Amino acid sequence: MRIGELAARAGTTTRTLRYYESRGLLPARRSGNGYRSYDESDLRLLRQIRTLQDFGFDLEETRPFVECLRAGHPEGDSCPASLAVYRRKLGELDALIGQLTGVRDTVARQLERAELARAELAAEAEVPGGPEPVCELGGGPW
Protein backbone atom coordinates (compact mmCIF):
# COMPACT_ATOMS: atom_id res chain seq x y z
CA MET A 1 0.00 0.00 0.00
CA ARG A 2 1.13 3.57 -0.51
CA ILE A 3 1.81 6.13 2.19
CA GLY A 4 -1.60 7.86 1.93
CA GLU A 5 -3.50 4.62 2.41
CA LEU A 6 -1.31 3.59 5.35
CA ALA A 7 -1.78 6.98 6.99
CA ALA A 8 -5.55 6.78 6.56
CA ARG A 9 -5.72 3.24 7.94
CA ALA A 10 -3.51 4.15 10.89
CA GLY A 11 -5.44 7.34 11.64
CA THR A 12 -2.45 9.61 11.18
CA THR A 13 -0.84 11.80 8.53
CA THR A 14 1.70 11.14 5.81
CA ARG A 15 3.93 13.72 7.47
CA THR A 16 3.92 11.70 10.68
CA LEU A 17 4.80 8.54 8.75
CA ARG A 18 7.73 10.28 7.06
CA TYR A 19 8.88 11.45 10.50
CA TYR A 20 8.70 7.90 11.88
CA GLU A 21 10.67 6.76 8.85
CA SER A 22 13.34 9.41 9.49
CA ARG A 23 13.59 8.18 13.10
CA GLY A 24 14.09 4.59 11.93
CA LEU A 25 10.81 3.31 13.37
CA LEU A 26 9.10 2.66 10.04
CA PRO A 27 10.90 0.87 7.21
CA ALA A 28 11.67 2.90 4.10
CA ARG A 29 10.90 0.54 1.26
CA ARG A 30 10.36 1.86 -2.25
CA SER A 31 8.45 0.30 -5.14
CA GLY A 32 9.80 0.23 -8.68
CA ASN A 33 8.32 3.64 -9.45
CA GLY A 34 9.96 5.22 -6.36
CA TYR A 35 6.86 5.45 -4.19
CA ARG A 36 7.02 4.36 -0.59
CA SER A 37 5.55 0.91 -0.18
CA TYR A 38 4.04 -0.56 2.99
CA ASP A 39 2.30 -3.74 4.08
CA GLU A 40 0.16 -4.99 6.96
CA SER A 41 3.18 -5.46 9.23
CA ASP A 42 3.88 -1.73 8.91
CA LEU A 43 0.31 -0.98 9.95
CA ARG A 44 0.87 -3.18 12.98
CA LEU A 45 4.02 -1.23 13.88
CA LEU A 46 2.11 2.03 13.60
CA ARG A 47 -0.71 0.79 15.78
CA GLN A 48 1.82 -0.22 18.43
CA ILE A 49 3.48 3.19 18.31
CA ARG A 50 0.17 5.06 18.44
CA THR A 51 -1.16 2.97 21.33
CA LEU A 52 1.95 3.57 23.40
CA GLN A 53 1.92 7.29 22.62
CA ASP A 54 -1.73 7.43 23.69
CA PHE A 55 -0.56 5.99 27.03
CA GLY A 56 2.02 8.77 27.39
CA PHE A 57 5.13 7.07 26.05
CA ASP A 58 7.42 9.32 24.04
CA LEU A 59 8.44 8.24 20.57
CA GLU A 60 11.85 6.92 21.57
CA GLU A 61 10.26 4.75 24.29
CA THR A 62 8.30 2.93 21.57
CA ARG A 63 11.48 1.73 19.83
CA PRO A 64 11.94 -1.54 21.80
CA PHE A 65 8.30 -2.48 21.08
CA VAL A 66 8.75 -1.80 17.37
CA GLU A 67 12.00 -3.76 17.28
CA CYS A 68 10.31 -6.64 19.07
CA LEU A 69 7.57 -6.76 16.42
CA ARG A 70 10.14 -6.50 13.63
CA ALA A 71 11.99 -9.46 15.12
CA GLY A 72 8.88 -11.54 14.51
CA HIS A 73 7.40 -11.66 17.98
CA PRO A 74 3.59 -11.81 18.13
CA GLU A 75 3.40 -8.83 20.52
CA GLY A 76 5.61 -5.78 20.84
CA ASP A 77 5.87 -6.20 24.59
CA SER A 78 7.09 -9.79 24.66
CA CYS A 79 10.80 -8.84 24.59
CA PRO A 80 12.99 -8.01 27.60
CA ALA A 81 13.73 -4.46 26.35
CA SER A 82 10.01 -3.71 26.11
CA LEU A 83 9.42 -5.00 29.62
CA ALA A 84 12.24 -2.74 30.86
CA VAL A 85 10.49 0.27 29.30
CA TYR A 86 7.23 -0.72 31.02
CA ARG A 87 9.04 -0.95 34.37
CA ARG A 88 10.74 2.42 33.90
CA LYS A 89 7.46 4.06 32.86
CA LEU A 90 5.66 2.61 35.90
CA GLY A 91 8.38 4.04 38.12
CA GLU A 92 7.91 7.47 36.53
CA LEU A 93 4.14 7.25 36.96
CA ASP A 94 4.48 6.17 40.60
CA ALA A 95 6.76 9.17 41.26
CA LEU A 96 4.26 11.54 39.62
CA ILE A 97 1.39 10.05 41.58
CA GLY A 98 3.41 10.58 44.77
CA GLN A 99 4.03 14.22 43.87
CA LEU A 100 0.36 14.80 43.03
CA THR A 101 -0.71 13.14 46.27
CA GLY A 102 1.57 15.51 48.19
CA VAL A 103 0.14 18.53 46.39
CA ARG A 104 -3.40 17.29 46.99
CA ASP A 105 -2.71 16.84 50.70
CA THR A 106 -1.32 20.39 50.92
CA VAL A 107 -4.36 21.86 49.16
CA ALA A 108 -6.70 19.85 51.41
CA ARG A 109 -4.93 21.22 54.52
CA GLN A 110 -5.16 24.77 53.16
CA LEU A 111 -8.87 24.33 52.49
CA GLU A 112 -9.44 22.95 55.97
CA ARG A 113 -7.52 25.87 57.51
CA ALA A 114 -9.44 28.42 55.42
CA GLU A 115 -12.83 26.89 56.28
CA LEU A 116 -11.95 26.85 59.98
CA ALA A 117 -10.86 30.50 59.87
CA ARG A 118 -14.05 31.46 58.05
CA ALA A 119 -16.18 29.57 60.56
CA GLU A 120 -14.41 31.35 63.45
CA LEU A 121 -15.10 34.74 61.82
CA ALA A 122 -18.73 33.84 61.34
CA ALA A 123 -19.01 32.75 65.00
CA GLU A 124 -17.45 36.04 66.19
CA ALA A 125 -19.91 37.97 64.01
CA GLU A 126 -22.81 36.35 65.85
CA VAL A 127 -21.50 37.67 69.17
CA PRO A 128 -22.84 41.17 69.87
CA GLY A 129 -20.13 43.63 68.99
CA GLY A 130 -18.10 40.99 67.16
CA PRO A 131 -16.54 41.74 63.78
CA GLU A 132 -18.56 41.34 60.65
CA PRO A 133 -16.86 39.00 58.13
CA VAL A 134 -15.50 40.93 55.17
CA CYS A 135 -13.95 39.50 52.04
CA GLU A 136 -10.23 40.28 51.88
CA LEU A 137 -10.64 41.12 48.21
CA GLY A 138 -12.82 44.11 49.01
CA GLY A 139 -16.20 42.40 49.00
CA GLY A 140 -18.95 42.90 51.48
CA PRO A 141 -20.10 40.82 54.44
CA TRP A 142 -20.41 37.08 53.97
Side-chain angles (χ1 to χ4, degrees):
M1 77 186 86
R2 291 184 37 191
I3 193 168
E5 181 183 349
L6 180 62
R9 290 184 63 192
T12 191
T13 65
T14 58
R15 183 178 182 182
T16 298
L17 298 186
R18 288 191 297 271
Y19 178 69
Y20 291 168
E21 180 183 315
S22 75
R23 300 294 305 228
L25 292 169
L26 192 62
R29 294 184 301 273
R30 301 280 180 164
S31 61
N33 59 9
Y35 291 124
R36 287 175 173 88
S37 177
Y38 301 98
D39 59 25
E40 293 298 319
S41 67
D42 298 318
L43 180 59
R44 196 162 167 232
L45 293 176
L46 285 173
R47 287 184 175 150
Q48 179 75 76
I49 292 168
R50 304 270 306 179
T51 298
L52 291 169
Q53 286 192 305
D54 288 347
F55 292 157
F57 287 64
D58 66 35
L59 191 57
E60 195 55 37
E61 289 174 319
T62 69
R63 188 173 301 280
F65 298 85
V66 169
E67 290 171 355
C68 191
L69 286 171
R70 280 189 181 163
H73 294 274
E75 300 293 331
D77 58 5
S78 59
C79 295
S82 302
L83 298 175
V85 172
Y86 275 153
R87 286 185 195 97
R88 187 172 54 249
K89 183 57 85 174
L90 279 175
E92 290 172 12
L93 291 170
D94 288 342
L96 288 171
I97 289 168
Q99 289 173 354
L100 287 172
T101 300
V103 169
R104 186 201 182 286
D105 292 347
T106 299
V107 171
R109 283 191 305 273
Q110 287 295 101
L111 174 61
E112 184 179 340
R113 182 203 51 78
E115 288 176 335
L116 182 60
R118 184 170 188 279
E120 288 173 359
L121 276 176
E124 288 175 15
E126 293 179 7
V127 174
E132 188 165 319
V134 176
C135 178
E136 293 176 6
L137 299 176
W142 290 48

